[in-house]
Amino acid sequence: MAKMKDDAQTGTIAVDIQLLQKVLELSEAMANGDFSKRIVIDFDDSPLAKIAAHLNEWADQVQLNSVEKTHEQTVNSFIEVISSFANHDFTQKLSISENGTVMDAIATGINILGEELQQTTASKLELETERNKLNEAQSIAKVGSWELDGSLLTLKASHEAYRILGLTKNDTANLFDAFRKKVHKDYLPKLNHLIRSAIEKKEDFVLEMKIVQDDQSVKDVLCIGEALADETNAVVNLKGTIQDISERKQIEQSLQEAKEFAEEANNSKSKFLANMSHEIRTPLNGILGLTQIMLGEQISDEHRGYLEVVHESGKSLARLVNDILDLSKIENKKLQLESITFDFHKTISATVNSYKFLADQKGLTLSCHIDPLIPAEVIGDPTRVSQVLTNLISNAIKFTEEGSIDIRLALHARKSAELVIHGTVTDTGFGIPKEKLDLIFQSFTQADDSITRKYGGTGLGLSIVKNLLAQMKGSVSVESPADPVRNTGSIFRFSLTLNVPGRLPSETQTTNTQKKLAFKNPVTILVVDDNPMNLLVAKKMLKKFGAEVTITQSGFDAIDLVKRTQFNLVLMDIQMPGINGYETTAEMRRLNFTMPILALSANGYEDDIRQSLASGMNYHITKPYTEQHFFETVNKYIESDAT
């Protein structure tokens, strides 16, 4: 049957080439005067079939002498136009007369045929262009498409899908079997299950799997399938995509390795800081402890001055260690601020006065003005407020050779129970270069390398100040020069937020530092520490408080001592040879020793404190400690145990 029909999928028209060739042969025969041939056709409404029918009719009429054989020129035109169609030239047209003859009907049919053939060719070109674009897009995205017949299990795939699988269309008779052979054996059962469920239960699926190439290399792919059902809700086929995700997997692996490396580096840093702080705190505890003990004894004024210098130097070193620990806590978001009631004016005055000695040594004037509108009693973290001011004042003194340091604190705003306080620390030092103003608040950063060589320092102080103030809902900034005429000096401006107690200020909320530190009742205390200097400091302080003290340098000896001696309290070091403080404490608790055990350790990290409590200790005192804090902590647990 000769047919010209619509392609349901592409919307284009398919032409019967054999029929077109027969039309051309009949036209040529008629041009040569041979009207005996005919074209056998079935019923068809296509223009080509109609042309063939008209040619047959015209040949019949010529043979019946109803049409003259004088149309050779017209037939030759038919042949020329039809021949051009064979060469994909559809622009030529035949002229149509007004007589309405059979020849006109044939010419009209040929013209219509040319138009339809032209549209068909254009549609094919557009389809091919779109197909090429799709293939190009899939190639760029490394995503291929596929379709699986649910009943026959025959698989069709795009060019990119073949490429991803490492297959070729010419060499693959059964694509579904070839695909399954490519899937790594560890993933094949899962794939079979998903395909079966998709067909039987109409479930879509997503699967990351590995496929093995011919060279045994492995490629990661992402396969996505969608179940499509017909009108009867029976699954007809599955459609989906397959994507090469090998590069993404490599990136993910690299990121994971980088993350693990960073975590390992961070853990190494934390271990280093912990070890370093422990090694520094241990001898520092001896220095500060003994100088504080000696300052409480009868000594000459000259020696007292020397000891005060030693004590201040030790405190500076202790602040450095605390800065390092604080930085680590800030970076790990583990620094927690206290919220207690304290005397703001006394805290600030005490902090400033502690630097009077250093300022006097350099011939500097140190002054402080506190706005009387700021309530004396506030709620916040006095240690951190003092730390902020300490860093700013110590920096000002360090970098000022002559002149003055002026500290001012003023009430900026009061909102309900909140106080917003603004402060300034102004010095007459050599100032900070403008290009360095934004850098000095970064960790381990100094304004100039020469500063480190001349004055020392780690560049941690201002970074910690910035972070502490941020936690107190405040900020810090710097202006330099403070004196534009002399081009000298700096002004550090800062703000912080404190709370106001919901009661009247208490006159008794003060600490009487002059009161003699002594236990109310006789107590026996065991001190366990492998460092002789730390043992000496703890023993002297405890005896000064009125305690009977037993010391030992071994955890094993400590366990034997608590078996045969009744102690009111045990002070336990952590890092000791043989058996550490955690293990010693745990063993004591197993022996039903119920008295308080306090850690007395240079390990000051939060994890160390948590581990101390977990081992059975009641509290963790971090070295170095002050005499006041040491007494208050020990006395608290002795009195609580007595009650």
Side-chain angles (χ1 to χ4, degrees), residues 208 222 243-253:
E208 284 189 11
L222 173 65
Q243 181 180 6
D244 184 351
I245 58 172
S246 300
E247 186 175 349
R248 190 190 81 188
K249 283 294 185 181
Q250 291 173 359
I251 294 173
E252 289 176 356
Q253 179 65 25

Side-chain angles (χ1 to χ4, degrees), residues 619-634:
Y619 191 73
H620 187 107
I621 302 174
T622 303
K623 303 172 186 175
Y625 46 83
T626 64
E627 189 175 79
Q628 180 77 29
H629 175 63
F630 187 46
F631 170 78
E632 289 176 352
T633 305
V634 173

Side-chain angles (χ1 to χ4, degrees), residues 178-315:
F179 163 61
R180 293 174 70 256
K181 290 179 181 178
K182 286 283 186 177
V183 177
H184 192 281
K185 62 180 182 179
D186 293 342
Y187 296 88
L188 190 57
K190 179 69 172 178
L191 177 65
N192 290 337
H193 170 72
L194 290 175
I195 291 176
R196 197 161 47 244
S197 295
I199 294 173
E200 295 174 357
K201 303 177 183 179
K202 308 173 186 63
E203 296 177 344
D204 300 341
F205 67 87
V206 177
L207 176 64
E208 284 189 11
M209 59 185 179
K210 296 182 182 295
I211 58 174
V212 182
Q213 303 291 74
D214 291 339
D215 60 359
Q216 299 307 304
S217 63
V218 178
K219 183 183 294 186
D220 291 288
V221 298
L222 173 65
C223 191
I224 301 175
E226 179 184 8
L228 302 176
D230 60 11
E231 296 178 354
T232 63
N233 205 30
V235 173
V236 177
N237 56 22
L238 305 178
K239 283 188 176 182
T241 60
I242 183 169
Q243 181 180 6
D244 184 351
I245 58 172
S246 300
E247 186 175 349
R248 190 190 81 188
K249 283 294 185 181
Q250 291 173 359
I251 294 173
E252 289 176 356
Q253 179 65 25
S254 299
L255 291 175
Q256 180 63 27
E257 291 174 357
K259 179 176 178 290
E260 292 174 356
F261 178 79
E263 290 175 349
E264 183 178 350
N266 189 55
N267 290 335
S268 298
K269 183 188 75 172
S270 297
K271 290 179 181 177
F272 168 75
L273 290 176
N275 291 333
M276 185 186 72
S277 66
H278 179 274
E279 294 304 316
I280 296 175
R281 284 175 184 274
T282 299
L284 189 58
N285 183 64
I287 295 171
L288 290 175
L290 286 177
T291 53
Q292 193 167 11
I293 290 171
M294 293 178 69
L295 285 169
E297 297 176 351
Q298 294 293 329
I299 54 176
S300 67
D301 291 341
E302 182 180 6
H303 287 168
R304 182 174 298 278
Y306 294 154
L307 286 173
E308 286 176 348
V309 173
V310 172
H311 197 252
E312 286 300 321
S313 298
K315 284 164 64 178

Side-chain angles (χ1 to χ4, degrees), residues 467-483:
N467 282 282
L468 287 177
L469 289 173
Q471 289 202 53
M472 289 187 269
K473 300 179 182 179
S475 61
V476 63
S477 62
V478 61
E479 296 175 18
S480 188
D483 186 343

Side-chain angles (χ1 to χ4, degrees), residues 314-538:
K315 284 164 64 178
S316 297
L317 185 56
R319 281 193 294 270
L320 172 61
V321 176
N322 289 334
D323 282 349
I324 294 172
L325 290 174
D326 285 346
L327 177 67
S328 178
K329 291 178 182 178
I330 289 169
E331 288 179 344
N332 291 292
K333 295 180 172 47
K334 291 182 177 180
L335 184 66
Q336 299 293 328
L337 297 184
E338 284 188 309
S339 184
I340 61 175
T341 302
F342 68 98
D343 191 316
F344 182 80
H345 292 254
K346 288 187 176 182
T347 298
I348 299 301
S349 297
T351 302
V352 174
N353 289 336
S354 67
Y355 282 93
K356 286 280 189 182
F357 181 75
L358 290 178
D360 291 343
Q361 278 190 320
K362 296 187 71 173
L364 303 175
T365 301
L366 181 63
S367 60
C368 177
H369 178 268
I370 304 174
D371 188 346
L373 294 177
I374 300 176
E377 198 171 58
V378 296
I379 297 176
D381 191 329
T383 302
R384 298 306 180 182
V385 171
S386 178
Q387 186 178 1
V388 167
L389 207 55
T390 293
N391 276 298
L392 295 176
I393 296 173
S394 63
N395 270 0
I397 293 176
K398 182 189 297 185
F399 302 130
T400 303
E401 298 299 331
E402 59 181 17
S404 63
I405 291 96
D406 181 59
I407 301 103
R408 293 182 176 273
L409 293 130
L411 180 63
H412 177 71
R414 181 165 184 165
K415 304 174 183 178
S416 185
E418 281 192 345
L419 298 174
V420 180
I421 298 172
H422 281 191
T424 59
V425 176
T426 307
D427 64 66
T428 58
F430 50 77
I432 304 168
K434 289 184 177 180
E435 65 274 11
K436 301 292 185 178
L437 291 177
D438 294 332
L439 300 177
I440 61 173
F441 295 105
Q442 297 179 10
S443 302
F444 305 104
T445 302
Q446 299 275 25
D448 194 320
D449 290 341
S450 62
I451 290 176
T452 304
R453 293 192 297 270
K454 184 176 181 179
Y455 298 98
T458 59
L460 292 176
L462 292 179
S463 173
I464 292 171
V465 165
K466 180 180 178 181
N467 282 282
L468 287 177
L469 289 173
Q471 289 202 53
M472 289 187 269
K473 300 179 182 179
S475 61
V476 63
S477 62
V478 61
E479 296 175 18
S480 188
D483 186 343
V485 177
R486 297 182 180 180
N487 199 35
T488 58
S490 302
I491 303 176
F492 282 85
R493 302 184 186 277
F494 62 94
S495 65
L496 56 94
T497 301
L498 299 172
N499 292 321
V500 182
R503 54 183 172 80
L504 294 176
S506 172
E507 297 296 333
T508 60
Q509 191 74 19
T510 59
T511 302
N512 186 2
T513 57
Q514 301 302 319
K515 183 179 179 181
K516 183 179 179 181
L517 305 177
F519 299 131
K520 293 180 180 179
N521 301 306
V523 294
T524 57
I525 296 176
L526 173 64
V527 183
V528 188
D529 198 317
D530 66 317
N531 186 283
M533 180 67 71
N534 288 331
L535 282 176
L536 177 61
V537 170

